[in-house]
Amino acid sequence: GTGTYTCDGKSSIKNPSRKGAYIVVSRLNGVVLYQNWVFNEGAFEFETGGTSDMDVKVYSGSDRAWELQSLTFRSACSSPTIQIEERFGAVKLIGFQYFGADMIECSCIKFEQDSPTPRPTPRPRPRPPTPQPSSSPSPPPTPQPSPRPTPSPSNCPNSICRERAFTMYFVFDALTCNASSNSQESKSSCEDQVSIANASSAFIEFSDKDTGGKTSRRKTQQVRKKNKNDNEIPYFSGSISFGAVVEVDNNGSKFPADMDVTIYKDDTKSEILQYVKFHSSCSQNLFLGDRFGSMKVIGFKYEDGDIEKCF
């Protein structure tokens, strides 16, 4: 009804690459009832404590720097009443639970822990007809190239980076920028310089200064941090095989806001295959499984020693 519901879209919330949002639910007096990251179509629950009106804010990340939507609605179930499956902007009501009673819910609930829908069983392909014998001599078989191994891991859970990491883990799988899949939007970039497809190895440098793909010539297999005596000392610099895991850290310090990755053909650094830049401070959405060109994020290590990984 009039005066019982408002919705204000601060910024475009429709984005095919957005995996979810950080949601804060509170009373109108500012008392927070719920705050957490919620994936698209994911369910969340909270206790209202009998409050009459509810305030919901939807942010792009846990730092709350970018508000996508702000809405309020009447939650007291007084006139006009609210019903299951009514929608308020980006959120949809899917259940009630009254004091001392069972939950009333609809079949549209989709919790994050639900088992994934099983993949359909592929139909068997028909066998080709048996060739008839020929009087002419058979040509020598054409040698087939050995297939490259599939890098591990192939799948990562949708686990978001919760704070600026001390160590990050990546896997190199020689894919072009078109394979990028992340939700950092304008905060990341990828440039293919020379075809990287089918590369069995590469020389890779991780750094924090945008120098147009021309990082320091200092060669090291150690992870080093930037200091005042060098224009740039890479966090990691070395030859990496296809499918190998790369561990990158900042010598006991948190990473800067941005990370640059320069992928060379070999250790002469005379030919750049790919240049990648992304936001590494976790103020922008960064998930396990996010891909930036040839590099896939597969692990975070935090200041308290806790490690989230998928390898």
Side-chain angles (χ1 to χ4, degrees):
T2 304
T4 62
Y5 166 64
T6 64
C7 181
D8 182 14
K10 305 291 184 180
S11 179
S12 176
I13 199 168
K14 292 184 178 181
N15 189 322
S17 65
R18 195 182 304 283
K19 299 182 179 180
Y22 193 82
I23 296 181
V24 180
V25 182
S26 60
R27 298 174 181 171
L28 296 187
N29 63 4
V31 176
V32 175
L33 303 174
Y34 176 88
Q35 54 181 338
N36 209 342
W37 179 267
V38 180
F39 290 98
N40 289 343
E41 299 185 2
F44 64 97
E45 60 179 303
F46 58 90
E47 295 183 3
T48 66
T51 186
S52 298
D53 297 281
M54 203 71 64
D55 180 80
V56 181
K57 293 189 184 299
V58 183
Y59 299 94
S60 64
S62 58
D63 60 347
R64 306 190 195 181
W66 187 6
E67 183 177 313
L68 301 175
Q69 193 176 90
S70 175
L71 58 99
T72 60
F73 63 93
R74 176 62 58 86
S75 56
C77 292
S78 58
S79 180
T81 59
I82 57 175
Q83 301 180 22
I84 289 178
E85 295 199 58
E86 283 192 333
R87 177 172 295 282
F88 303 93
V91 297
K92 180 180 179 181
L93 181 64
I94 57 175
F96 303 106
Q97 185 171 16
Y98 301 101
F99 181 76
D102 293 333
M103 179 181 288
I104 303 173
E105 62 186 25
C106 71
S107 60
C108 55
I109 297 178
K110 178 181 179 182
F111 290 97
E112 299 301 328
Q113 62 267 27
D114 287 348
S115 300
T117 303
R119 295 182 179 180
T121 304
R123 296 181 180 179
R125 295 182 179 179
R127 294 184 177 181
T130 304
Q132 298 298 319
S134 174
S135 57
S136 58
S138 300
T142 303
Q144 297 296 322
S146 301
R148 294 194 301 175
T150 301
S152 179
S154 58
N155 294 295
C156 284
N158 282 327
S159 180
I160 191 171
C161 177
R162 67 172 190 260
E163 62 184 36
R164 194 174 297 206
F166 273 51
T167 303
M168 298 181 68
Y169 303 87
F170 303 84
V171 65
F172 168 66
D173 49 13
L175 295 178
T176 65
C177 292
N178 289 335
S180 297
S181 177
N182 58 79
S183 54
Q184 292 206 352
E185 301 172 349
S186 62
K187 290 292 184 179
S188 67
S189 61
C190 181
E191 301 175 13
D192 288 317
Q193 306 293 323
V194 179
S195 176
I196 197 170
N198 300 319
S200 59
S201 64
F203 190 84
I204 302 177
E205 287 190 344
F206 287 78
S207 58
D208 70 344
K209 185 180 179 183
D210 186 359
T211 57
K214 298 179 181 178
T215 56
S216 169
R217 291 278 180 174
R218 180 169 181 172
K219 297 178 182 179
T220 175
Q221 289 297 119
Q222 299 176 345
V223 178
R224 305 288 296 277
K225 70 176 183 178
K226 182 178 176 182
N227 63 40
K228 63 182 180 180
N229 297 320
D230 297 88
N231 269 337
E232 182 183 354
I233 298 178
Y235 299 115
F236 178 89
S237 179
S239 295
I240 298 297
S241 300
F242 173 86
V245 173
V246 185
E247 178 180 345
V248 183
D249 70 43
N250 191 15
N251 199 24
S253 299
K254 294 182 180 181
F255 283 114
D258 297 294
M259 183 77 72
D260 297 83
V261 185
T262 309
I263 303 175
Y264 299 92
K265 183 177 181 179
D266 51 42
D267 60 2
T268 64
K269 299 166 70 171
S270 60
E271 187 174 27
I272 297 176
L273 303 180
Q274 190 177 87
Y275 178 70
V276 171
K277 184 181 183 70
F278 66 94
H279 203 70
S280 53
S281 73
C282 297
S283 63
Q284 295 293 318
N285 298 336
L286 185 61
F287 295 83
L288 289 183
D290 274 359
R291 175 178 298 286
F292 303 92
S294 289
M295 308 308 299
K296 183 177 182 180
V297 182
I298 57 173
F300 308 113
K301 183 176 181 180
Y302 302 106
E303 185 176 9
D304 59 6
D306 187 27
I307 299 178
E308 294 180 357
K309 63 181 182 179
C310 54
F311 64 96

